[in-house]
Amino acid sequence: MKQPDRLLAEKLLQISAIKLQPNNPFTWASGWNSPIYTDNRKVLSYPDIRSFIKVELSRMILENFPEAEAIAGVATGAIAMGALVADVLNLSYVYVRSSPKDHGLENLIEGNLKPNTKVVVIEDLISTGGSSLKAVEAIRNAGCEVVGMCALFSYQFPVAVKRFRDANVNLLTLSNYTTMIDVAAETNYIHPDDLTTLEEWRKDPANWVPSAAEPLA
């Protein structure tokens, strides 16, 4: 039986939630050149994949963070998936904005999060970890404890690993970059010769320079 990380990698590639173009790289909004582009929000359009992720994230939380009292989704990509997980686990739910609203109550956290609540944060994608850890900081500033974070996918950047370790956040992911490129090679999604390019990019994505980069439309 295939492990959940390999199954999810296959599914994300099948629906083009992950696109790999080692020979025709994307340019991210950050300016980084990249052979990969990920949009995990696409999973919401596929009931079977959406259900698979919902169940596996819920299982991950029950097995690793049984003390959780609330779920928090990170805007915008993880808002819907976080709500689905909270519903499965019958837990309170909130979501964390990237910045406070510029009107009304100027909320950063939407929903009712009581102080001293033990929270698991849900993310769709971990890249450098910056936005994810801002959500953690907001929850901690609200007087709550972040017992862990669960994400669909991680690029496994060294900078992110260090950031989560320094912030004392236990991060678990359903799948990751290493598993994904293995699956992509085995299913002939990419040519075996592309593996070196994909592995080199992950080591130092900010400074990776391809022979040619095409901006993402």
Side-chain angles (χ1 to χ4, degrees):
M1 181 180 294
K2 293 180 181 178
Q3 294 299 309
D5 59 339
R6 298 182 66 82
L7 281 171
L8 180 57
E10 287 182 6
K11 294 174 187 295
L12 295 178
L13 288 166
Q14 287 168 359
I15 65 171
S16 295
I18 290 178
K19 295 182 179 181
L20 295 174
Q21 296 181 185
N23 300 311
N24 185 24
F26 304 102
T27 299
W28 285 1
S30 62
W32 289 7
N33 295 310
S34 171
I36 181 173
Y37 184 73
T38 304
D39 182 5
N40 286 331
R41 286 167 291 196
K42 285 191 174 184
V43 303
L44 298 172
S45 299
Y46 299 85
D48 57 333
I49 302 176
R50 186 178 68 216
S51 180
F52 170 81
I53 292 171
K54 174 182 68 176
V55 169
E56 291 302 322
L57 284 174
S58 299
R59 189 196 317 278
M60 181 178 283
I61 292 169
L62 287 172
E63 292 178 353
N64 296 278
F65 310 114
E67 70 274 33
E69 299 170 322
I71 301 297
V74 179
T76 60
I79 291 177
M81 195 54 64
L84 290 170
V85 170
D87 194 52
V88 170
L89 299 176
N90 194 31
L91 295 176
S92 177
Y93 178 69
V94 300
Y95 71 85
V96 186
R97 292 176 171 271
S98 58
S99 59
K101 282 197 300 187
D102 59 4
H103 61 279
L105 298 177
E106 300 183 348
N107 293 337
L108 183 58
I109 298 175
E110 296 290 1
N112 186 20
L113 187 60
K114 298 178 180 179
N116 302 314
T117 300
K118 292 179 171 60
V119 182
V120 170
V121 181
I122 301 294
E123 253 295 19
D124 70 316
L125 175 67
I126 305 295
S127 55
T128 63
S131 59
S132 305
L133 290 173
K134 282 183 180 179
V136 170
E137 181 181 12
I139 293 168
R140 287 173 171 170
N141 288 342
C144 296
E145 178 185 353
V146 175
V147 296
M149 180 180 294
C150 296
L152 272 66
F153 188 83
S154 170
Y155 289 130
Q156 298 175 299
F157 292 152
V159 63
V161 173
K162 183 179 186 303
R163 282 179 171 175
F164 277 92
R165 182 174 62 244
D166 291 348
N168 194 29
V169 175
N170 187 358
L171 170 66
L172 301 176
T173 64
L174 288 185
S175 193
N176 56 64
Y177 188 78
T178 301
T179 298
M180 184 273 301
I181 61 174
D182 285 346
V183 169
E186 291 171 9
T187 58
N188 297 316
Y189 186 99
I190 57 171
H191 193 277
D193 292 345
D194 293 326
L195 285 175
T196 299
T197 298
L198 291 166
E199 290 168 354
E200 286 301 315
W201 171 78
R202 188 188 66 81
K203 293 176 183 176
D204 190 11
N207 297 305
W208 183 73
V209 180
S211 56
E214 178 178 309
L216 179 64

